[in-house]
Amino acid sequence: MSSGRDSISMSAGLAICVVALALASAAQLASSRPTTFAQDFQVAWADTHVRQIDGGRAVQLLLDQNSGCGFASKRKYLFGQVSMRIKLVPGDSAGTVAAFYLNSDTAGVRDELDFEFLGNRSGQPYTVQTNIFAHGKGDREQRVNLWFDPSADFHLYRIRWSHSQIVPVRVFKNNEAKGVGYPNSQPMGVYSTLWEADDWATRGGLEKIDWTKAPFVAHYKDFDIEGCPVPGPARCASNPTNWWEGANYKGLTALEARKYRWVRVNHMIYDYCTDKSRFPVPPPECTAGI
């Protein structure tokens, strides 16, 4: 099992979650630290394409011309951290998308925190796209080209969500005081899917999926959810002693901020905040800093 107490190096793990974590235990921590997939997760669609392996401690997601597939947590959570180790589709994966995300599953006003790993032609870098939806409003895409091969081995990916900020590969502060929506009232489930999206995923849809390479396979293991389940203890989500609400997690340290900027300067290829064709005036959260 992975733990929230793992640290993140400047290598692969840091590419995705730039904040090194050394977590302390806290009251009302709602996590069973599952040893098997089935304890906290279930197949969401296409069960013939989801394979449990290693005694149920890991799963493979398969994509072929018949179907993609996905899994979901059995419960929803309001604040906390979720992590898993993922080894992405190797080789020519153009046109595929492997997603790891939280979603409130509430039509029209959904909250969602996204990682989408966009497949590549052999020899080209994988791209990770992140997005954040709050009260139904998204359009906050950022894309980073990974400088390591995420299909060669497992790498740890985390999403940490508190009252003050969200930290996947980016930092999204709670700026409700400035009129910026923030997901703070709707519990979200944890999802992962593998699917075909060759109309947009790789080079804007110029690179199409090569079905002769199917099945495309992504691997997942070390599932870890630490958060407040809903339904669950009524005061869990508002408990200020939850570790993710602690002072150490309300912002980045100086070192973390330098590493975060290094990723943005050297590997970010798209940022909605600087896309003047879409936003002649940058959205207010874009000027809030980290």
Side-chain angles (χ1 to χ4, degrees), residues 262-285:
W262 181 86
V263 172
R264 292 178 61 87
V265 169
N266 293 282
H267 296 282
M268 180 169 283
I269 60 171
Y270 178 78
D271 183 0
Y272 76 104
C273 286
T274 59
D275 188 342
K276 294 187 181 300
S277 65
R278 294 177 64 196
F279 303 102
V281 176
E285 68 268 20

Side-chain angles (χ1 to χ4, degrees), residues 183-226:
N184 60 9
S185 60
Q186 298 187 103
M188 292 191 270
V190 184
Y191 300 84
S192 193
T193 55
L194 178 61
W195 47 292
E196 177 266 321
D198 71 358
D199 58 331
W200 66 271
T202 307
R203 295 184 59 221
L206 295 177
E207 303 285 354
K208 300 301 183 182
I209 197 166
D210 182 355
W211 289 114
T212 67
K213 303 294 195 302
F216 302 97
V217 182
H219 299 75
Y220 299 75
K221 67 177 183 178
D222 294 350
F223 313 98
D224 189 7
I225 300 175
E226 297 180 80

Side-chain angles (χ1 to χ4, degrees), residues 6-205:
D6 294 340
S7 62
I8 304 176
S9 70
M10 190 56 194
S11 63
L14 180 59
I16 301 304
C17 186
V18 296
V19 183
L21 302 177
L23 308 180
S25 61
Q28 295 191 51
L29 200 61
S31 171
S32 61
R33 297 297 178 86
T35 57
T36 64
F37 168 82
Q39 283 184 260
D40 273 5
F41 291 92
Q42 60 192 357
V43 176
W45 56 290
D47 56 358
T48 58
H49 287 58
V50 180
R51 296 175 180 170
Q52 294 191 43
I53 59 176
D54 192 21
R57 289 184 289 272
V59 296
Q60 296 175 332
L61 299 190
L62 280 71
L63 166 66
D64 58 26
Q65 284 183 284
N66 295 315
S67 183
C69 60
F71 63 83
S73 60
K74 294 179 177 178
R75 308 179 77 175
K76 290 185 177 182
Y77 300 84
L78 187 57
F79 303 115
Q81 176 174 276
V82 58
S83 66
M84 59 185 70
R85 295 186 187 273
I86 306 173
K87 183 166 67 172
L88 296 175
V89 175
D92 189 342
S93 58
T96 69
V97 176
F100 164 43
Y101 61 103
L102 276 61
N103 191 317
S104 63
D105 195 25
T106 46
V109 293
R110 84 181 190 273
D111 293 337
E112 185 170 320
L113 314 177
D114 285 344
F115 278 117
E116 291 180 318
F117 300 95
L118 312 182
N120 63 333
R121 286 287 179 225
S122 297
Q124 299 299 312
Y126 250 96
T127 298
V128 59
Q129 174 173 284
T130 63
N131 201 353
I132 294 172
F133 286 78
H135 313 316
K137 184 186 183 308
D139 297 327
R140 296 183 171 105
E141 300 90 347
Q142 293 179 342
R143 291 188 179 188
V144 171
N145 276 346
L146 301 182
W147 60 95
F148 60 93
D149 183 356
S151 68
D153 203 351
F154 285 93
H155 298 285
L156 179 63
Y157 303 96
R158 292 189 178 114
I159 297 175
R160 192 175 72 236
W161 172 32
S162 72
H163 283 84
S164 58
Q165 66 179 8
I166 297 160
V167 186
V169 74
R170 65 209 285 183
V171 176
F172 189 81
K173 291 280 192 180
N174 185 338
N175 284 296
E176 288 184 299
K178 297 182 179 181
V180 180
Y182 189 82
N184 60 9
S185 60
Q186 298 187 103
M188 292 191 270
V190 184
Y191 300 84
S192 193
T193 55
L194 178 61
W195 47 292
E196 177 266 321
D198 71 358
D199 58 331
W200 66 271
T202 307
R203 295 184 59 221

